[in-house]
Amino acid sequence: MRDQGFADFDFLIGEWNINNECLNERLAGCTEWHSFPATARVEKVMDGCGNLDQMFVPARGFTGMTLRLYNPETRLWSLYWSDTKSHRLFPPTVGKFENGRGEFYGDDVEGGKPVRVRFLWTAGESPRWEQAFSTDGGGSWEVNWVMRFGRK
């Protein structure tokens, strides 16, 4: 019998309109935000062991992609992001869902500084994703990107 964790991201399968809100400057004490639209297509891959999304952002001139892979031994998801601006695969954020809310953590570099990265997912009919960075090992967080999803 297949672990139920494989279905954690089933709420996201399909086509979406996305409202993005981004902080104008990260890790600079900025409080000004800007918005831009995007669309996405999310599908299961590898016989349901993961999913792949492509996000199209013509207003900002890039396309992004997330590969999400579930490990039934650890019951954790690994989320990998890449885009046509960076031309690289970012380090994964790793975590799980509990009660319709997913928390995923990883390490990266922003502006030459090491940062702890946090993704928060809220499942449901109108999913929400949030990205935050921490420069103090997770003691405090700066939310810098929020995405709100609506079905196409």
Side-chain angles (χ1 to χ4, degrees), residues 87-138:
H87 302 285
R88 71 181 185 107
L89 188 62
F90 285 76
T93 58
V94 178
K96 63 182 176 177
F97 275 86
E98 288 185 9
N99 302 316
R101 184 172 188 264
E103 291 188 23
F104 306 88
Y105 296 91
D107 295 299
D108 203 351
V109 175
E110 176 71 18
K113 299 178 190 176
V115 294
R116 189 82 175 132
V117 179
R118 179 186 72 195
F119 293 169
L120 297 179
W121 271 103
T122 304
E125 294 294 315
S126 300
R128 183 181 186 278
W129 172 86
E130 174 184 292
Q131 174 180 272
F133 291 163
S134 175
T135 57
D136 61 7

Side-chain angles (χ1 to χ4, degrees), residues 8-132:
D8 285 344
F9 276 102
D10 281 3
F11 69 92
L12 200 55
I13 304 303
E15 294 191 11
W16 299 92
N17 290 313
I18 304 169
N19 180 42
N20 292 271
E21 299 168 9
C22 286
L23 200 55
N24 285 352
E25 293 181 70
R26 296 175 178 172
L27 305 176
C30 181
T31 59
E32 296 176 10
W33 292 75
H34 63 279
S35 298
F36 57 92
T39 60
R41 181 175 44 250
V42 185
E43 62 185 318
K44 286 190 173 201
V45 295
M46 300 181 356
D47 295 324
C49 294
N51 63 65
L52 178 69
D53 81 46
Q54 289 191 80
M55 184 170 79
F56 306 94
V57 193
R60 301 296 297 255
F62 76 94
T63 299
M65 178 185 79
T66 304
L67 175 63
R68 299 176 189 90
L69 300 172
Y70 182 71
N71 182 335
E73 291 179 16
T74 62
R75 296 185 174 216
L76 297 174
W77 284 90
S78 295
L79 286 55
Y80 299 88
W81 168 259
S82 184
D83 60 55
T84 57
K85 286 182 131 179
S86 67
H87 302 285
R88 71 181 185 107
L89 188 62
F90 285 76
T93 58
V94 178
K96 63 182 176 177
F97 275 86
E98 288 185 9
N99 302 316
R101 184 172 188 264
E103 291 188 23
F104 306 88
Y105 296 91
D107 295 299
D108 203 351
V109 175
E110 176 71 18
K113 299 178 190 176
V115 294
R116 189 82 175 132
V117 179
R118 179 186 72 195
F119 293 169
L120 297 179
W121 271 103
T122 304
E125 294 294 315
S126 300
R128 183 181 186 278
W129 172 86
E130 174 184 292
Q131 174 180 272

